[in-house]
């Protein structure tokens, strides 16, 4: 039997998705100093800041301050951050460190390698999620206090669920299927699956990130315009190669100047309008499908499916992260979840909410991973884990 639970069991509604709107209504209580609207958090493109921007750290600290005020008169004095990407989460940790002392853990699973742990400037990078126990010991060795003046920020996407390197392919599969369905539904009988795969797989690779900004909304739109014959695929590759085309903005404008068929026109208009407004999630209808595909992969297999199949096909809660959170909560630490995952792919739109669909942090998932930490067995500070 698999254990099951929700992120809500661990964090409550103390989570923010990409729009930095706390799910917990209590943070908007009139008894607390009001939070500014998310658009005025000072993001680079005039919108909500993204994770790696300094303004993101400031916004998160304001929201954390509200969460802390709900439960304590003490101000937060130190932070812990648990994430999965050295670039984005690492930068967020460094930005938070400009305001409060912070220690970070960046995990991914690479079982084909021997276990490796590196610590640099208070950030532990590990190729095992189970190394979270080493992280706890490291903090204890540093004399870091786990108490009411401490908060832990937990990344959700590919950390608290869909652990990177272990279960993250299930999250990616939901996204690819959402792109495929979007393109298929728009193009109808003109949809060519094989051509779609070729274009998507090619452009989803890192060398194309300067063009796609590694933004799946952009990629979905590009696949649609290619599949719909607005921009020929081999011409696109040639134009990129020759640097006649280098940014997504140029691509959207180029498409806007071409004849676009009736079936493609509404989605083109949606993306074009939102993109020009500076919305980082311009392809809403694709992201709604991504939400559906993501939820569909949560706790969908029977118990006798076995762990390997579950990890390959379902999105599950990372047991190691859940255990560390429970341990820290027991010490009085404030828990808060954050993710750059768009709200449109994380929360149900009203017609689905009416049918009982829930935001991702409230959806039941299996809990899979290594049991690393039993609160009563956690060693006292002494052992120092070096790099
Ligand atoms: Mg993540």
């Amino acid at each position: 039997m698999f254990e099951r639970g929700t992120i809500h069991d661990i964090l409550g509604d103390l989570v923010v998705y990409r729009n930095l709107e706390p799910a917990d209504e209590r943070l908007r209580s009139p008894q607390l100093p009001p939070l500014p609207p998310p658009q005025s958090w000072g993001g680079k493109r005039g919108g909500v800041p993204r994770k790696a921007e300094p303004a993101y750290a400031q916004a998160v600290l304001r929201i954390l301050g509200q969460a802390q005020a709900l439960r304590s008169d003490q101000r937060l004095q130190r932070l812990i951050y648990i994430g999965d990407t050295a670039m984005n989460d690492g930068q967020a940790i460094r930005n938070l460190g400009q305001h409060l002392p912070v220690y970070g853990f960046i995990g991914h699973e690479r079982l084909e390698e021997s276990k490796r742990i590196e610590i640099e400037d208070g950030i532990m990078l590990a190729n095992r999620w189970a190394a979270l126990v080493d992280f706890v010991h490291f903090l204890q060795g540093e004399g870091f206090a786990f108490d009411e003046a401490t908060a832990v920020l937990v990344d959700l996407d590919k950390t608290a669920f869909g652990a990177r390197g272990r279960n993250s392919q299930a999250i990616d599969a939901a996204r690819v299927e959402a792109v495929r369905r979007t393109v298929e539904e728009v193009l109808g009988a003109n949809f060519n699956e094989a051509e779609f795969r070729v274009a998507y797989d090619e452009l989803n690779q890192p060398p194309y990130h300067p063009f796609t900004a590694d933004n799946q909304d952009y990629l979905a739109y590009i696949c649609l315009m290619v599949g719909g014959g607005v921009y020929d695929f081999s011409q696109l590759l040639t134009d990129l190669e020759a640097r006649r085309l280098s940014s997504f903005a140029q691509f959207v404008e180029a498409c806007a100047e071409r004849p676009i068929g009736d079936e493609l026109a509404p989605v083109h208009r949606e993306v074009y309008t939102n993109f020009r407004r500076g919305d980082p999630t311009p392809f809403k209808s694709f992201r709604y499908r991504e939400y559906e595909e993501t939820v569909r992969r949560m706790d969908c297999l029977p118990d006798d499916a076995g762990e390997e199949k579950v990890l390959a096909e379902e999105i599950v809660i990372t047991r190691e992260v859940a255990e560390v959170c429970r341990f820290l909560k027991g010490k009085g630490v404030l828990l808060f979840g954050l993710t750059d995952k768009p709200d449109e792919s994380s929360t149900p739109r009203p017609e689905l909410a009416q049918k009982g669909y829930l935001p991702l942090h409230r959806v039941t998932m299996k809990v899979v991973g290594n049991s690393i930490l039993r609160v009563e067995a956690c060693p006292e500070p002494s052992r120092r884990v070096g790099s």
Side-chain angles (χ1 to χ4, degrees), residues 51 81-85 88-89 155-161 164 338-340:
K51 214 180 219 178
Y81 187 112
I82 301 173
D84 68 283
T85 59
N88 251 341
D89 292 314
D155 174 55
L156 301 184
D157 200 43
K158 301 190 178 174
T159 297
F161 57 78
R164 182 173 293 275
L338 45 76
T339 174
D340 226 4

Side-chain angles (χ1 to χ4, degrees), residues 208-220:
Y208 293 98
H209 284 179
F211 171 51
T212 63
D214 195 18
N215 181 320
Q216 291 287 318
D217 290 66
Y218 298 178
L219 191 50

